Every structure is written in C-alpha cells, then in structure tokens.
Amino acid sequence: MKTIPLILMGCGGVGSHLLQHIVSCRSLHSAQGLCLRVVGVGDSKSLVVVDDLLNKGLDDSFLLELCRLKNGGESLSNLGDFGQCQVFVHPESKGKILEIASQLGKKTGLVFVDCTASADTIVVLKQVVDLGCCVVMANKKPLTSTMEDFEKLLTYPRRIRHESTVGAGLPVIASLNRIISSGDPVHRIVGSLSGTLGYVMSEVEDGKPLSKVVKAAKSLGYTEPDPRDDLGGMDVARKALILARILGHRINMDSIQIESLYPKEMGPDVMNVEDFLDRGLLLLDKDIQERVEKAASNGNVLRYVCVVEGQRCEVGIQELPKNSALGRLRGSDNVLEIYTRCYSDQPLVIQGAGAGNDTTAAGVLADIVDIQDLFS
C-alpha cells in the first residue's frame, strides 16, 4: 500500500469538501493500493496535528466532525477533546508546519494542500517546496503574486499541481502542459472562466435586465456575498495571469486590462452591498441592454472572457459568434478555447462545470492522487 501523508491548509468550503471526498473514497483508493493519510488540518487561527506523524493520520470520524464544525462557522480550536492530536495556534502553527515539512518532506514525502483564499500561505509554500514537499493548490494568489514567487513555486514542476486554480475540476492546466510539451505553439487562448459571469451573460442575452439577473444569481448562491467580487473581473484576471505565465509570459497583474461591470463610483468603499443591489444595479441595465442588442444585430452574443494572445492579456466583455463554443455557452459552465498550430481552424475546447466547492475539491483530490508516483 502506497501512503501519501498530507497537510491541508484551509478547511472552508473547498477544504471541507476535500476532506469528505478523501473519506468517501477510502475503498476506491484502497483498491488502487493507495492511502491518503491526513496528518494535519489548519485554518487561519490554528493547526490540528496527529501526535504520531510517521505512523498515524487523523481518524475519519474526526475529519468529518471537523467538517461539521467548520461548516457551522466555528474555528478548529473549538473541537474540544483532541484525543490523539495536538493543536497549535497562530503564529505558532506556521513553525509547526515547517517542522513537519522538515521531518517528512525528504523522509516519507509530504503533500501540502492549499485550499485557502489567502496570500499569507506564499512564504510557507516556498519553504516547504525547498524541504522536498509536494504542493497542491486551489488557491490562486500564490501563483498570481510576483514573478519571483511564481518561478520559485514552479522550481520543481513535477512536485507542483494547481489544476483547480483555473478550471476547478476541468483538465485545463494538464491539457495546456501537454500541448506545450509537444512543441505545438499556442497562439491564442479565449475562455469564459467564471461560472457567475457565464450565467449572467447568458441570461442577459435572453433580454433579462442585468439587475434582476445578478439578484437571481445571488439567490442561487452563484455569487459571492457581495456580487461586486465577481462583477469586478479580478477572479477571472487571476486565472488569465496563471495561463499567461504558463505560456512563458513574464507579466504581472498590472499588465492585464480588466473590464469591471460596475464603475468606481459603485465600489465597496463608496456604496454598501444593499445600496448596490437596490439602486446601483438598476443604473447599469440600459448600457448592458444596448450592448446585447448591438451584438445581436451583428449575429453575435456577449460573453465575459479572458484573452491571452502574444503579450496581450485582457479580461472583459467581447462580442463572439453565436455558433462558437463560447457563444453557445449557457448557465454556469466554463469554456476554454485553445488555438495552436495543430488546433488552428477548430480550437481545442474544454467545457464543463468550472465552479463550486464540490467540483473544485474533486479537482484538488485528483491532483493529490496524480503525484503518487513520487511516493514509495
């Protein structure tokens, strides 16, 4: 039986689903000769670690109780009787992580899984990589920090997986890396990489006012609590930056042209969420409706996409042919078109559910399993 010890940082939506997937897949992985041994789980305040790092993992019943606690909005420090575990609070937890990485990294191997949404993990990630650990990320921020951080994290590419930073569970990064390895030059990437904005744009195409569509998306749970976090385009821009850097472009976030669907006058520092939903959105309806009608008169539709082409990297609304893969997109699916020498007239199209905690967690689990050949 091949054993992979792992530490999970971030047990919110994605992290909790990941732990549940690990527990539910025990029989499947056992049949494959694989065991994922969770030796530690951390949140922003504390870290829970099994007392015998070399031989034990946190019990499945403990992991499920941990998920129940986190889903209720509580901290790991409220778990109560830790039994065979130890708890370390921040900032002591950071030192403990590095101690574990040093102990297991080059001995048994260790996977450090980052399911946070924080830039605070960057320093630790760079250190655990040097200590021989593997890193799996759903967190986009470490890869969209400075070029120096990006290159440091990818110093050992075989030990890094980050599929879920771009397409949740979709094989975007793997497909792109295969194309690059084959020597087939990538000329252009166009993608709708936000389930929220994909839903919004396909609904306004049907003539529905933007204000009503955004409110409906919020009620369906598609948006962040403040929909401007989605409408501002920053999440898509981070995904575009990761793709551009994979292609070898040494650019930073300030190199990307980002179109926000709301003006600065409606930003969070000027208008609260309730005012934006009740008053601000209504003022955006007319402009979006006119753009939808103009596109329709040209036989096109509007989609919020990222475009990576040469040194050009931009994010925003574009008119696209109605019969293209992106033009046919409906609902919250993601679609990515990759144009290369081999895929010139007909691009390689990757499409499917590209959002949601469950889907993203499944992508993270697949990444963990994918690096099993590095473990004895």
Side-chain angles (χ1 to χ4, degrees):
M1 182 73 69
K2 184 177 291 185
T3 299
I4 300 180
L6 67 91
I7 288 181
L8 169 65
M9 291 305 298
C11 44
V14 174
S16 292
H17 275 79
L18 173 62
L19 292 176
Q20 292 171 46
H21 284 326
I22 288 173
V23 172
S24 66
C25 288
R26 289 296 188 200
S27 324
L28 171 66
H29 291 158
S30 180
Q32 297 172 343
L34 182 65
C35 174
L36 302 185
R37 184 160 59 88
V38 183
V39 299
V41 178
D43 60 15
S44 60
K45 296 179 180 178
S46 51
L47 173 72
V48 177
V49 179
V50 70
D51 60 355
D52 186 352
L53 289 167
L54 291 174
N55 301 297
K56 293 181 181 178
L58 296 172
D59 185 79
D60 284 354
S61 59
F62 179 87
L63 293 177
L64 294 178
E65 173 61 18
L66 184 154
C67 292
R68 186 195 66 77
L69 191 78
K70 291 299 296 183
N71 290 337
E74 296 188 56
S75 169
L76 292 180
S77 57
N78 296 331
L79 272 168
D81 183 9
F82 291 99
Q84 299 297 309
C85 310
Q86 298 174 292
V87 61
F88 301 88
V89 297
H90 184 75
E92 183 187 10
S93 56
K94 177 183 173 183
K96 187 61 181 178
I97 288 172
L98 295 177
E99 180 186 321
I100 297 171
S102 179
Q103 184 177 349
L104 299 184
K106 294 179 180 177
K107 192 169 188 178
T108 64
L110 176 71
V111 179
F112 188 94
V113 184
D114 185 358
C115 287
T116 71
S118 170
D120 294 341
T121 59
I122 296 174
V123 174
V124 173
L125 287 174
K126 292 191 294 183
Q127 289 176 289
V128 300
V129 166
D130 278 339
L131 291 169
C133 300
C134 297
V135 171
V136 172
M137 286 174 278
N139 183 8
K140 291 178 277 293
K141 290 182 180 176
L143 295 175
T144 54
S145 180
T146 65
M147 270 305 302
E148 181 184 3
D149 287 339
F150 178 85
E151 290 173 341
K152 176 63 178 178
L153 288 172
L154 270 69
T155 302
Y156 308 99
R158 292 187 63 227
R159 291 201 262 120
I160 306 296
R161 296 290 186 279
H162 56 98
E163 192 70 74
S164 297
T165 59
V166 174
L170 295 175
V172 173
I173 306 297
S175 301
L176 193 55
N177 281 334
R178 284 175 63 87
I179 290 172
I180 293 169
S181 297
S182 75
D184 186 11
V186 177
H187 303 308
R188 173 180 165 90
I189 295 176
V190 186
S192 175
L193 296 174
S194 165
T196 303
L197 292 174
Y199 170 83
V200 167
M201 299 313 297
S202 63
E203 290 292 294
V204 296
E205 178 189 336
D206 294 337
K208 299 174 184 176
L210 177 69
S211 55
K212 289 187 177 180
V213 171
V214 171
K215 289 178 182 177
K218 188 175 188 298
S219 68
L220 290 168
Y222 288 169
T223 75
E224 295 295 327
D226 185 343
R228 286 171 293 191
D229 291 344
D230 300 291
L231 301 177
M234 184 54 72
D235 186 62
V236 179
R238 288 194 180 100
K239 295 177 180 182
L241 180 57
I242 291 170
L243 292 174
R245 285 178 167 181
I246 289 173
L247 293 180
H249 302 312
R250 296 176 57 82
I251 62 173
N252 293 310
M253 188 61 73
D254 57 11
S255 307
I256 301 178
Q257 183 179 332
I258 305 171
E259 178 184 3
S260 172
L261 296 191
Y262 65 88
K264 291 181 180 179
E265 296 75 35
M266 295 183 191
D269 54 341
V270 179
M271 187 178 285
N272 63 37
V273 180
E274 290 72 25
D275 283 346
F276 177 71
L277 290 171
D278 294 338
R279 297 187 298 107
L281 275 172
L282 291 170
L283 301 175
L284 304 177
D285 284 343
K286 183 179 179 182
D287 177 63
I288 290 294
Q289 182 183 2
E290 289 175 352
R291 293 177 72 174
V292 168
E293 291 172 354
K294 180 177 180 295
S297 69
N298 297 327
N300 296 326
V301 294
L302 297 183
R303 293 292 180 261
Y304 194 95
V305 299
C306 72
V307 178
V308 181
E309 186 172 18
Q311 293 299 314
R312 171 187 170 211
C313 187
E314 60 186 45
V315 167
I317 294 178
Q318 290 209 4
E319 275 193 36
L320 296 167
K322 195 170 185 178
N323 63 352
S324 65
L326 283 160
R328 293 191 298 270
L329 177 66
R330 304 294 299 176
S332 60
D333 275 4
N334 282 2
V335 176
L336 192 78
E337 298 178 346
I338 303 175
Y339 294 84
T340 72
R341 184 189 67 235
C342 296
Y343 298 97
S344 53
D345 297 329
Q346 294 295 327
L348 174 65
V349 178
I350 303 169
Q351 178 171 357
N357 294 331
D358 188 35
T359 306
T360 304
V364 174
L365 180 57
D367 272 351
I368 296 169
V369 173
D370 188 51
I371 55 179
Q372 62 178 294
D373 289 344
L374 299 179
F375 292 78
S376 55

